[in-house]
Amino acid sequence: TDDIPRTDDFNNYNNDYSGGNSEPNNQGLKLTARHLFCLAAEAITLPKSTTASSPDPSTHCDINSFETREELLYLWSSARSQMPEDVIQKTLRLLTEHKETLRGHEVHLWYPDNDKGAEGMLRVLNSGYEGRSTYNFDSEPADSSHDDLYRFHDMPSKFVGENKLFVDVGSALGLTSMLITYLYPKTTIVSIEPASPSWLIQNINYRCNLSHTQLQYVHPILAGVGTKHHDDNDSMMKMLWRPSETTATRNWNPENNFDFATDLELVVHLRTLRAILAEATPEDLPLGTPISVLNLDCEGCEYNLIPSMHETSFHSIGVVLGRTNWGYIPVIKKPSSVRARETHERVCTHYNFAKRCKECCDFPSLEVKPRLGGANTETEEDGDVAFEGERSVAEVAGDMCNDFEEWAKESKLRDIPDDYGWNEMSAFAHGS
């Protein structure tokens, strides 16, 4: 514990972060994740209340539990072996505790104040719950013609539960993995996050909200997903992490989209999905267990991951969720059109991509699986209702494809000859 920053008193607590905190007032103390680790190491103690009518200052993360303290100290050691010291310190100073809910489950999440990414993800995960608005992505309400596209809350049992594998690529602060843990106990979850600050935050959230038993099923991995052509799993990519939008770590940011005071340009280690799963999958999961759910929320990594998968491996996946990003990536940073076509032709066989992603309109006759996978029949074998009459991309997408050819020309869908810009060692789209 000698390496954990020590604080002798609370005179400097307000210097760590001046933002608000939705947790109890704590008598003016601004408790950050830096203090959480100090408390876990017993390097500091919280003062007592100064009035009989006020509770003692506290954190909802149970640092009085030996197991929780041990988990946090183990995380500290793990972070120091994988992250630069200054990145750890800067990240911890930004984090405060927030009382939230995940579909009725009370949680106390650590994330930066005014983080639009965390707020948006909470809207998505709580979409439609007890009368709340329905969202597709972050701040985008779902239209009346279909349900929210992630729909984690009512997944069929054939995809989740014991001996089922949920792979969350671009897992950010860990909120999706936490929800899956709450809703579908014993689901094995591999949580892959390329940005070390977000990886650290999600690990704090897991340890402060999940029981020791629940933690055994969640396997966080710090890595970006590369292609099968990246030599020896040892390729690198630069990405930008922003505390104001922690769910949008990517390598194609506009040059003017950088706050020197808070944002971090990170060098990310790229590995193949196969190598990541070989490390993360627990020994007690049956050998060769296919991915039941692949959640792609990774700001473009789908163009590395999907073309690199063996055809048999991809088709063994129960359902793929997420979206494609071709239309958002600046031209100078786009991957090759060949890579894009391979990616789109595969993911567009899954309903939410065909329904929402304009890239799928390039394959109007492509057969699409029902909403949550399975055969194109009116009723699934486990009772899920499949769509009627929507068997191809053209039928599922409907009016979304009306102006597709114009969009394809504007976005250079068929015009990028190689991966030069995509593989450039920069987190920015220069000139954008």
Side-chain angles (χ1 to χ4, degrees):
T1 60
D2 289 341
D3 296 313
I4 295 179
R6 294 177 180 271
T7 304
D8 295 328
D9 55 41
F10 283 79
N11 291 333
N12 295 322
Y13 264 40
N14 285 326
N15 294 332
D16 269 358
Y17 193 67
S18 58
N21 192 328
S22 60
E23 287 292 316
N25 184 33
N26 276 337
Q27 300 186 46
L29 298 180
K30 299 295 184 182
L31 300 182
T32 68
R34 175 175 174 267
H35 305 123
L36 178 68
F37 280 94
C38 290
L39 289 165
E42 300 181 329
I44 59 173
T45 57
L46 291 173
K48 298 296 183 181
S49 173
T50 56
T51 64
S53 60
S54 300
D56 292 338
S58 66
T59 170
H60 282 275
C61 191
D62 187 12
I63 47 88
N64 292 320
S65 162
F66 174 79
E67 283 187 345
T68 302
R69 291 202 308 272
E70 190 175 54
E71 289 282 0
L72 286 170
L73 294 179
Y74 175 82
L75 172 58
W76 175 263
S77 297
S78 180
R80 291 191 71 245
S81 70
Q82 300 182 71
M83 298 173 61
E85 184 80 19
D86 62 321
V87 175
I88 295 175
Q89 295 292 347
K90 188 169 186 177
T91 302
L92 295 180
R93 281 185 162 87
L94 288 170
L95 308 181
T96 54
E97 194 175 31
H98 303 254
K99 181 180 178 180
E100 307 285 0
T101 61
L102 286 174
R103 306 200 76 81
H105 297 268
E106 183 176 301
V107 291
H108 300 270
L109 302 174
W110 294 82
Y111 59 83
D113 287 343
N114 303 313
D115 175 10
K116 295 182 179 64
E119 295 167 0
M121 198 66 218
L122 285 165
R123 280 194 293 270
V124 169
L125 296 179
N126 288 313
S127 178
Y129 182 72
E130 293 186 343
R132 299 189 189 190
S133 298
T134 303
Y135 288 91
N136 284 333
F137 306 107
D138 296 353
S139 59
E140 175 191 309
D143 63 57
S144 58
S145 66
H146 61 288
D147 192 8
D148 55 299
L149 297 181
Y150 284 97
R151 198 173 158 188
F152 296 119
H153 56 278
D154 60 355
M155 303 196 75
S157 59
K158 64 183 178 182
F159 296 132
V160 285
E162 191 170 11
N163 292 333
K164 299 298 191 298
L165 180 57
F166 186 105
V167 179
D168 191 9
V169 185
S171 50
L173 308 189
L175 307 189
T176 298
S177 296
M178 287 174 60
L179 180 62
I180 298 301
T181 299
Y182 289 135
L183 296 182
Y184 313 108
K186 297 185 178 182
T187 302
T188 297
I189 300 168
V190 176
S191 173
I192 305 169
E193 173 54 37
S196 56
S198 291
W199 171 86
L200 177 57
I201 299 169
Q202 72 172 241
N203 274 278
I204 295 172
N205 285 330
Y206 295 153
R207 285 158 174 78
C208 289
N209 291 279
L210 301 181
S211 69
H212 181 73
T213 299
Q214 289 172 324
L215 281 172
Q216 308 313 304
Y217 292 93
V218 182
H219 306 275
I221 296 291
L222 174 58
V225 180
T227 74
K228 61 185 176 184
H229 303 298
H230 284 141
D231 296 336
D232 300 321
N233 281 308
D234 201 26
S235 190
M236 303 290 178
M237 180 178 282
K238 284 189 175 181
M239 296 184 180
L240 184 67
W241 182 81
R242 303 169 62 205
S244 62
E245 199 167 2
T246 55
T247 57
T249 299
R250 55 198 182 205
N251 73 325
W252 41 274
N253 305 274
E255 283 185 291
N256 60 356
N257 193 11
F258 184 74
D259 186 336
F260 285 93
T262 59
D263 297 352
L264 295 171
E265 187 176 26
L266 306 169
V267 177
V268 174
H269 184 197
L270 299 181
R271 302 172 61 191
T272 64
L273 180 63
R274 177 173 291 186
I276 291 171
L277 293 180
E279 174 187 336
T281 304
E283 292 292 335
D284 55 356
L285 196 67
L287 185 65
T289 299
I291 299 172
S292 299
V293 182
L294 178 62
N295 183 40
L296 294 174
D297 196 6
C298 56
E299 302 292 319
C301 86
E302 64 271 17
Y303 297 110
N304 286 340
L305 189 159
I306 298 300
S308 294
M309 295 188 75
H310 190 279
E311 185 175 359
T312 301
S313 297
F314 180 79
H315 289 299
S316 71
I317 300 172
V319 61
V320 183
L321 301 174
R323 65 174 172 182
T324 49
N325 289 275
W326 183 269
Y328 301 99
I329 302 173
V331 171
I332 198 170
K333 290 291 289 183
K334 289 182 186 294
S336 71
S337 294
V338 171
R339 179 179 297 280
R341 183 176 180 84
E342 291 175 355
T343 301
H344 300 153
E345 191 168 17
R346 283 186 168 183
V347 299
C348 291
T349 60
H350 289 263
Y351 179 83
N352 67 308
F353 286 89
K355 186 70 177 179
R356 175 61 179 78
C357 300
K358 210 174 188 74
E359 295 89 336
C360 295
C361 298
D362 206 17
F363 314 95
S365 61
L366 186 68
E367 184 175 338
V368 179
K369 293 182 178 183
R371 177 63 185 87
L372 288 173
N376 278 334
T377 56
E378 291 188 12
T379 304
E380 300 290 295
E381 60 182 22
D382 60 359
D384 295 316
V385 177
F387 47 82
E388 297 180 28
E390 295 180 339
R391 300 175 183 274
S392 68
V393 166
E395 292 167 328
V396 173
D399 293 342
M400 182 179 70
C401 294
N402 288 350
D403 60 348
F404 170 70
E405 286 302 327
E406 180 181 349
W407 178 88
K409 291 178 182 178
E410 291 177 355
S411 66
K412 309 293 184 184
L413 180 64
R414 307 183 183 108
D415 301 331
I416 307 300
D418 52 45
D419 290 328
Y420 178 80
W422 183 242
N423 290 329
E424 181 189 13
M425 195 65 170
S426 172
F428 300 96
H430 299 291
S432 62

